[in-house]
Amino acid sequence: MATGTAGTYLSKDEGLTWTKIDGGSYNVCIKTQHGKLTLLAGGNGKIAMFSMK
């Protein structure tokens, strides 16, 4: 997963191809220790969660 001002993108093939999954502007993303939940944070306290099933 990669995020920035242009949106959030997900790759399922180690970065060969990317799919845009969100158009919001975020500055950082971090995957939790168990690896199924990713937290994103952006400007003005904006927070989002992405869950892999």
Side-chain angles (χ1 to χ4, degrees), residues 4-51:
T5 57
T8 301
Y9 297 81
L10 182 66
S11 175
K12 295 182 180 181
D13 57 9
E14 298 182 5
L16 294 175
T17 59
W18 293 88
T19 301
K20 189 172 189 174
I21 59 171
D22 187 276
S25 175
Y26 295 97
N27 304 108
V28 64
C29 61
I30 186 169
K31 191 162 40 168
T32 58
Q33 192 171 22
H34 61 78
K36 294 185 179 181
L37 179 68
T38 301
L39 303 172
L40 299 99
N44 299 320
K46 186 176 180 181
I47 297 174
M49 293 185 290
F50 178 79
S51 179

